[in-house]
Amino acid sequence: MMRSTKRIAVLALVAAVALTGCAGRSASDVDTTARGPITMAMGSNDAGKLAPVIEAWNAAHPDETVTMFELPKDADPARDTLVQSLQARSGDYDVMALDVVWTGEFAAHRWILPLEGDLAIDTSGLLPATVDSATYRETLYAAPMNTNAQLLFYRTDLVPTAPATWQDLLASCPTARAADVDCLDLQLKSYEGITVQATQAINSWGGSAVGPDGLTPTVTTPQATAAIQAVTDAYADGDIAGRSSGFTEEETNLAFLAGETMYAYNWPYMFDTAKTEPTSTVGDDFAVAPIVGPDGVGASTLGGYNNAINAYSEYPATARDFVAFVQNEDNQRAFADQSFPPVLASVYDDPELVAQYPYLPVLKDALEHAQPRPVTPFYSGVSKAIQDNAYAAITGARPVDQALADMQAAMTAAAS
């Protein structure tokens, strides 16, 4: 135990040294009671969903209005815009809608304020996994706004019920072959999508990608090895379609809507596209279930946004009240109406919403088993290490053991 504690302390020191020179402001240097008009920054692809929320807030708080600043819609340039502003110690964006995977990095740099003391919020009604995604080193650094989890979509005209385990799914693949369709399509192209697939497989098999310190790679454990081996074997056997190595979410969506696969892993938006897109051939002949692991429900990887308060904000008290306002029941119900999965657990049990969106109970089940991607200040490097080496293992370019050893080494290098 002492040796482990010492290693964590050393790694924390290494991380602190690595982050020196671009660290932000300490919470003790901030007036957490200051109030006034603020600006929220969010990717343009989802910013419109906040318009009614901001309108309602502004009507009730004419002296503390919120103005939306739209960031680029793609994640990388949006993150770059925020990072450049924060490195310049700018308070231009008082509230920032962070991709959940950025939270650890922004917290480690002290670019965002911990939500404690005057800035504390009530998280008791939120889905626990969403709170975990906003927590770095046991401190809450952001207010979860919306969430997401991948689901297993299945063709009910081919399989009447969803498989309960990974082995059950594989055992049903002859049915797909008899129908001349793929058994399972998912995202194995070398991009963030394969990080999602690899980490949710590792988590589903009981492993993890990074230890609790956010720094130590843990991808050479027996659990991680078994997970990546299972996906690799399914790909080699053709149970996972070979074309999945070139698939993003959109190719997966198009394949499922075209009736070309019996199963697909994808985000809940595909439920709406399958029901409403004119090109959809599956109509009502499909259903959803949680993704599967070796012993039952798998651990989907969490998506969504966390609202964080800029450490250089001039008015953090207003920012705190606004991020809490976003979490109220009316706003969270409105998010459900926009296929923007809420973080408030009670919304998933609302009979009216369930009647309108029958996938909500399944999504709640998936979210209760979901886990965040690695919460680490070096997420970009960690994700790249997972992408490169998971792709090499699954496509057979390298043996699984070697690829995971290389992944471990690349993740260690990313944190040094």
Side-chain angles (χ1 to χ4, degrees):
M1 176 65 75
M2 183 176 296
R3 183 175 179 181
S4 174
T5 302
K6 183 177 180 182
R7 175 169 171 72
I8 291 173
V10 169
L11 287 168
L13 178 60
V14 169
V17 171
L19 297 171
T20 299
C22 51
R25 188 161 67 160
S26 170
S28 61
D29 298 328
V30 178
D31 178 3
T32 54
T33 64
R35 313 192 72 90
I38 62 173
T39 296
M40 178 180 186
M42 184 175 182
S44 60
N45 51 323
D46 288 316
K49 296 180 174 67
L50 267 291
V53 176
I54 291 174
E55 183 178 351
W57 168 272
N58 288 348
H61 303 83
D63 296 327
E64 301 176 53
T65 56
V66 176
T67 300
M68 174 63 78
F69 178 86
E70 294 190 5
L71 298 167
K73 67 177 183 179
D74 293 330
D76 288 345
R79 175 189 168 278
D80 291 347
T81 301
L82 294 177
V83 169
Q84 289 168 12
S85 176
L86 294 165
Q87 287 178 335
R89 299 175 183 264
S90 168
D92 284 350
Y93 314 127
D94 302 272
V95 173
M96 298 171 287
L98 304 182
D99 187 311
V100 292
V101 300
W102 302 342
T103 309
E105 175 190 8
F106 281 48
H109 282 87
R110 298 202 310 249
W111 288 334
I112 55 179
L113 295 174
L115 300 187
E116 55 189 10
D118 292 338
L119 304 181
I121 62 170
D122 181 9
T123 61
S124 59
L126 306 183
L127 293 163
T130 68
V131 179
D132 291 345
S133 77
T135 300
Y136 178 68
R137 295 195 173 177
E138 301 182 355
T139 298
L140 187 70
Y141 274 89
M145 175 165 60
N146 82 301
T147 188
N148 225 338
Q150 288 215 325
L151 299 174
L152 169 64
F153 291 75
Y154 63 99
R155 292 260 306 270
T156 52
D157 55 327
L158 296 176
V159 282
T161 58
T165 67
W166 179 252
Q167 193 55 45
D168 289 345
L169 185 153
L170 298 182
S172 66
C173 285
T175 299
R177 295 190 182 94
D180 196 25
V181 298
D182 296 340
C183 185
L184 172 63
D185 286 355
L186 39 69
Q187 302 85 53
L188 296 181
K189 185 176 180 178
S190 185
Y191 78 118
E192 183 65 18
I194 198 171
T195 298
V196 170
Q197 298 303 327
T199 54
Q200 65 188 14
I202 290 170
N203 290 331
S204 296
W205 262 255
S208 62
V210 174
D213 61 1
L215 301 169
T216 307
T218 54
V219 292
T220 56
T221 62
Q223 295 89 344
T225 303
I228 299 302
Q229 189 67 60
V231 177
T232 300
D233 290 345
Y235 183 83
D237 293 343
D239 295 332
I240 295 175
R243 60 180 180 165
S244 287
S245 61
F247 270 18
T248 67
E249 289 86 347
E250 186 54 20
E251 285 82 19
T252 307
N253 175 56
L254 293 174
F256 189 74
L257 266 59
E260 297 172 352
T261 185
M262 188 164 75
Y263 299 118
Y265 278 5
N266 211 342
W267 303 101
Y269 83 92
M270 196 165 82
F271 190 94
D272 289 333
T273 61
K275 289 285 189 188
T276 61
E277 286 290 327
T279 57
S280 176
T281 64
V282 294
D284 294 327
D285 292 330
F286 78 96
V288 294
I291 69 167
V292 290
D295 302 315
V297 175
S300 181
T301 294
L302 209 66
Y305 289 105
N306 292 328
N307 284 332
I309 301 175
N310 188 333
Y312 300 102
S313 171
E314 190 174 353
Y315 302 118
T318 300
R320 179 265 168 213
D321 287 356
F322 177 68
V323 301
F325 177 76
V326 173
Q327 294 177 334
N328 76 32
E329 186 168 347
D330 287 344
N331 290 328
Q332 292 287 304
R333 282 177 57 90
F335 285 168
D337 281 330
Q338 299 180 76
S339 299
F340 200 53
V343 295
L344 196 61
S346 59
V347 173
Y348 290 84
D349 300 322
D350 185 292
E352 288 184 18
L353 286 175
V354 171
Q356 194 170 356
Y357 308 107
Y359 63 85
L360 283 178
V362 175
L363 180 57
K364 183 182 182 185
D365 190 15
L367 289 166
E368 289 175 341
H369 290 83
Q371 295 187 28
R373 274 166 278 181
V375 181
T376 168
F378 307 101
Y379 183 79
S380 296
V382 166
S383 179
K384 186 68 165 62
I386 294 173
Q387 291 170 31
D388 292 346
N389 293 289
Y391 185 86
I394 293 168
T395 59
R398 249 176 289 161
V400 169
D401 286 346
Q402 183 60 55
L404 291 178
D406 293 346
M407 186 187 296
Q408 181 101 350
M411 292 170 70
T412 301
S416 63

